Amino acid sequence: MRKECDELKAIVIGSGIAGASAAYHLVKKGADVSILDEGHEGQSTKAGAGIICPWFSSRSENWYRLARAGAAYYPSLVSQLKQDGETGTGYAKTGALRVSGDVGALDRIERKLREQKREAPETGDITRLSNEEARRLFPPLGEGLEAIYVSGAARVDGHLLRNTLLSAAKKHGAVLLNGKAELSVEQDVIKGVIIDGRLLSADAVILAGGAWTNQLLQPLGIQLPLEPQRGQIVHLKVLDGETGKWPVILPDTDHYIVSFDGSRVVAGATRETGSGFDYRITAGGIEEVLNKALSVAPGLHGAALEEIRIGFRPFTKDLLPLLGHIPGADGLIAATGFGPSGLTIGPYAGSLIASLAFGEKTDLHIDQYLPVRDISK
């Protein structure tokens, strides 16, 4: 399947964070790249908040290994984009506060962090903070909550970063097309993609269609272990104060608070497995998000409700992404299934997929993330 570098023709289906990154890295390697996007409503990259802080997570070692590599990759990616004249990434190292009223739980988390830091120096400084000290960093924080601060954590505006990656890819010669794509496979080999009735030939097709990936595979009789998971996320605007340097807030639940420039504070998010593609804002969903946020940060009670976003995460039951070649269609490669971790893992995953398309050895062993695997347990 693989040709010489200057001959490799690649099509990326989906222009979310993983697809945009794959396209950027492919074209920089010398591939002829076309990016196709159908423009589905509810794309998770546009809706997501963008927390880059895997070190507090209690997920599996396979998840942590990839997420840690994803977090460590960001400074390099931002530097590459800057060399391409692209600086609008929305990425900033603001640090993160893991907050809790359970002192014993914080003790255990701190011990684990300090052990992990031996192999993950990108975690940065680890500092235990009293409530008063934590509120100096994040004024809306409620009383009675202590915190662990890690300086290496960051946040990113996913939609802005995605647009920046696409802009840089186009500077290197990539082409962006809008429309509905249909895979073309002959004798178990990918031939390309049909769009608007014409065939675009390719040596490699990257499926980065997010939660819609199985719709693309349905004509081939292939079903990946993937489903949409709805997330509702609330954007607030505080009345005063500069929020751009506020740290990410990670409480005891799966919810979070992320602050950006311009007095914008994002609270999220629901995790509605089994939602299908139901693009609705629900009373229960917004109640859940606001109640969780205000219980941790009552200082946000006076913030204005600016926007509510809906995103469909590409969800897998084992919370691991789907990365690699898809059996039954040589040249077809999956880059999806990132769930709530897309903005942590997606940019790095795009670089791995570009190496895979060229037949190169990847920086990280990815057999644990093969797209066709049994995750029923």
Side-chain angles (χ1 to χ4, degrees):
M1 182 270 295
R2 183 184 177 275
K3 296 183 178 182
E4 294 300 318
C5 292
D6 62 348
E7 294 181 297
L8 183 75
K9 296 183 69 175
I11 295 174
V12 180
I13 302 179
S15 66
I17 195 67
S21 176
Y24 174 65
H25 288 92
L26 280 163
V27 75
K28 285 191 71 176
K29 284 177 174 288
D32 179 352
V33 177
S34 297
I35 310 159
L36 308 184
D37 195 278
E38 194 171 341
H40 289 291
E41 195 172 44
Q43 293 176 346
S44 58
T45 293
K46 186 175 182 179
I51 299 168
I52 316 301
C53 182
W55 310 289
F56 288 118
S57 177
S58 59
R59 292 182 193 162
S60 70
E61 179 61 30
N62 284 334
W63 178 89
Y64 176 71
R65 189 168 59 95
L66 185 57
R68 180 200 153 193
Y73 184 63
Y74 258 94
S76 172
L77 177 62
V78 170
S79 177
Q80 292 177 60
L81 289 168
K82 186 175 181 180
Q83 292 175 17
D84 287 322
E86 301 286 348
T87 57
T89 62
Y91 174 82
K93 279 193 176 182
T94 59
L97 292 176
R98 174 64 170 87
V99 300
S100 178
D102 186 338
V103 174
L106 288 178
D107 289 340
R108 292 188 292 273
I109 293 168
E110 184 178 2
R111 284 195 296 270
K112 180 183 177 183
L113 274 176
R114 294 192 183 279
E115 291 174 1
Q116 286 179 339
K117 187 181 175 181
R118 298 169 188 169
E119 297 183 357
E122 64 274 6
T123 307
D125 297 329
I126 301 169
T127 310
R128 187 67 172 265
L129 301 179
S130 67
N131 179 259
E132 182 180 357
E133 291 168 328
R135 292 176 73 180
R136 290 195 194 110
L137 295 177
F138 186 77
L141 189 68
E143 296 180 1
L145 296 172
E146 295 186 18
I148 302 169
Y149 175 75
V150 293
S151 64
R155 50 82 172 158
V156 66
D157 184 321
H159 189 54
L160 185 59
L161 176 59
R162 171 259 191 190
N163 288 344
T164 298
L165 283 164
L166 291 178
S167 177
K170 287 190 284 186
K171 284 182 178 179
H172 285 280
V175 176
L176 179 61
L177 302 171
N178 297 315
K180 185 176 179 62
E182 179 183 344
L183 298 174
S184 176
V185 177
E186 294 181 12
Q187 298 180 338
D188 296 333
V189 176
I190 192 75
K191 294 300 181 182
V193 171
I194 298 171
I195 182 169
D196 294 332
R198 65 188 181 99
L199 174 66
L200 294 181
S201 62
D203 306 305
V205 174
I206 315 302
L207 281 185
W212 292 268
T213 300
N214 275 326
Q215 294 180 7
L216 293 161
L217 288 169
Q218 189 174 10
L220 305 184
I222 299 173
Q223 177 83 15
L224 299 184
L226 180 76
E227 64 176 300
Q229 182 195 65
R230 182 170 61 185
Q232 301 184 56
I233 186 168
V234 174
H235 288 240
L236 305 170
K237 190 176 184 67
V238 301
L239 295 178
D240 50 41
E242 179 45 58
T243 56
K245 295 182 179 180
W246 284 1
V248 172
I249 303 300
L250 301 169
D252 291 327
T253 66
D254 285 332
H255 291 72
Y256 54 79
I257 300 172
V258 187
S259 303
F260 293 87
D261 295 330
S263 301
R264 180 164 60 108
V265 177
V266 179
T270 62
R271 299 190 180 191
E272 301 172 66
T273 306
S275 65
F277 292 103
D278 182 0
Y279 191 86
R280 290 184 304 135
I281 297 169
T282 66
I286 301 310
E287 179 189 36
E288 175 188 331
V289 172
L290 288 177
N291 281 348
K292 295 293 186 181
L294 295 177
S295 67
V296 172
L300 294 175
H301 268 94
L305 182 58
E306 287 280 291
E307 183 183 4
I308 298 170
R309 294 183 184 178
I310 300 289
F312 297 106
R313 305 180 188 94
F315 175 77
T316 62
K317 289 182 179 179
D318 63 2
L319 302 180
L320 296 178
L322 308 176
L323 298 174
H325 293 282
I326 298 176
D330 186 31
L332 188 59
I333 303 172
T336 186
F338 301 103
S341 309
L343 292 174
T344 298
I345 299 174
Y348 177 63
S351 72
L352 296 176
I353 291 300
S355 294
L356 199 64
F358 272 99
E360 300 170 351
K361 184 177 180 180
T362 56
D363 292 337
L364 192 78
H365 194 57
I366 63 171
D367 280 358
Q368 293 87 348
Y369 318 111
L370 291 176
V372 177
R373 62 177 189 265
D374 182 9
I375 61 173
S376 59
K377 298 181 181 179

